[in-house]
Amino acid sequence: MSSNPATYIQTSATRSITAIRFSHVTKTYRLYKSEQKRLLSAFTRRVSFKTVTANNDLSFNIQRGESVALIGRNGAGKSTALKIITGVTTPTAGLVEIHGRVSALLDLSSGFDVQLTGRQNLHLRARLWGLTQAEIDGKIDDIVEFAELGSYIDQPLRTYSTGMRSRLGFAFASSLDPDILILDEVLSVGDRSFHKKSLDKMKVILAKRNLTLLFVTHSLSSAKQFCERGIVLEHGSRMFDGPIDKAVTFYENMTD
């Protein structure tokens, strides 16, 4: 485990050759027997806990414009790395640098207010993302059309199914113009027709010049389709880093 203090740097700079840099990053979690024990730990050090290392001295560098797949079994540390990159959680030790505007298609239905309508949620998310009113006005109609929710767009989200919420989330997230795009198993949104439309949309997004893609998936065929490079993780550590075909082969041999 790295003894370096944790440092997280995020800038909007797009001239940097580096888009994402992990240098000796470690992330540990404390697991308590109950929420009561967790609360008590804030007042005393006598509460016992189990330490779990999700990322272990993890280092990699992703240059601007690269398309990279994070490959690994459940618990390998992939999602934790994404959460660190997107600022959902912070590293315990090591250096993280993010240069550019990040859009993450992770849990598509999270962050919605179920009391607001679909349209109101779109406006709220757009504001939180920093879009101007002019930018919002220019995007909303296209987002609504892409989501294919019909009259439900003006109904409260509490009336939506899980699939409808995911479609709304994908429609919004895929409408943004990021420098760095983070994907985590979200390309199976909706029915077969919407799934195909989502894939076509992703191809358009990925055609953007200098877009950096970091893709987490259990579908090795999808990894090959969208990425040129693969990083294989196991127990939070980097096991392989190289061309996507070789990364997939390494992973398949590792899991045989």
Side-chain angles (χ1 to χ4, degrees):
M1 180 184 298
S2 172
S3 59
N4 298 331
T7 303
Y8 182 91
I9 300 171
Q10 183 169 18
T11 74
S12 59
T14 56
R15 294 183 180 180
S16 170
I17 295 177
T18 297
I20 302 171
R21 180 188 176 202
F22 268 42
S23 181
H24 302 289
V25 172
T26 293
K27 176 62 180 179
T28 59
Y29 292 98
R30 291 182 176 183
L31 301 183
Y32 295 90
K33 291 184 177 180
S34 66
E35 286 302 314
Q36 290 82 1
K37 293 288 187 181
R38 180 183 297 278
L39 178 60
L40 187 60
S41 70
F43 303 98
T44 176
R45 296 183 179 180
R46 296 181 179 180
V47 180
S48 61
F49 59 86
K50 179 181 179 181
T51 300
V52 174
T53 302
N55 288 153
N56 185 16
D57 199 30
L58 180 60
S59 295
F60 58 81
N61 189 74
I62 298 177
Q63 294 188 348
R64 190 160 312 284
E66 279 197 287
S67 54
V68 182
L70 283 185
I71 303 170
R73 291 178 278 208
N74 290 334
K78 307 183 301 298
S79 294
T80 298
L82 295 194
K83 289 177 181 178
I84 292 174
I85 292 169
T86 56
V88 173
T89 189
T90 56
T92 305
L95 170 66
V96 177
E97 292 183 41
I98 311 296
H99 299 290
R101 199 177 195 189
V102 178
S103 177
L105 277 68
L106 305 178
D107 184 351
L108 294 175
S109 61
S110 67
F112 283 135
D113 187 328
V114 297
Q115 301 304 321
L116 299 180
T117 68
R119 193 183 303 275
Q120 289 170 334
N121 270 287
L122 291 177
H123 279 274
L124 178 60
R125 273 202 171 184
R127 283 295 190 186
L128 292 175
W129 220 73
L131 271 63
T132 65
Q133 188 60 51
E135 289 174 321
I136 296 172
D137 292 340
K139 289 179 179 291
I140 286 295
D141 289 345
D142 289 339
I143 296 172
V144 170
E145 181 180 355
F146 189 90
E148 297 181 355
L149 295 175
S151 60
Y152 273 97
I153 195 64
D154 293 308
Q155 298 301 313
L157 239 71
R158 64 176 182 272
T159 65
Y160 286 29
S161 67
T162 300
M164 292 168 68
R165 294 184 191 186
S166 294
R167 283 164 63 172
L168 184 67
F170 182 90
F172 173 75
S174 62
S175 73
L176 302 175
D177 189 29
D179 304 303
I180 301 169
L181 180 63
I182 311 294
L183 294 179
D184 186 5
E185 296 286 11
V186 299
L187 296 181
S188 59
V189 175
D191 57 24
R192 181 176 296 180
S193 175
F194 195 85
H195 174 58
K196 182 181 182 304
K197 189 165 77 166
S198 299
L199 288 175
D200 291 341
K201 179 72 171 181
M202 288 309 308
K203 291 174 183 177
V204 172
I205 294 172
L206 295 176
K208 175 189 173 185
R209 184 178 180 183
N210 286 332
L211 176 72
T212 304
L213 171 67
L214 186 57
F215 185 27
V216 167
T217 180
H218 288 98
S219 171
L220 299 180
S221 60
S222 294
K224 287 183 176 181
Q225 180 180 1
F226 290 105
C227 300
E228 299 174 347
R229 173 183 165 196
I231 299 174
V232 180
L233 301 184
E234 180 74 355
H235 301 304
S237 299
R238 186 185 67 181
M239 305 299 293
F240 180 90
D241 186 347
I244 187 62
D245 288 342
K246 292 184 178 180
V248 168
T249 299
F250 181 91
Y251 177 69
E252 289 176 332
N253 292 336
M254 188 176 74
T255 55
D256 283 344

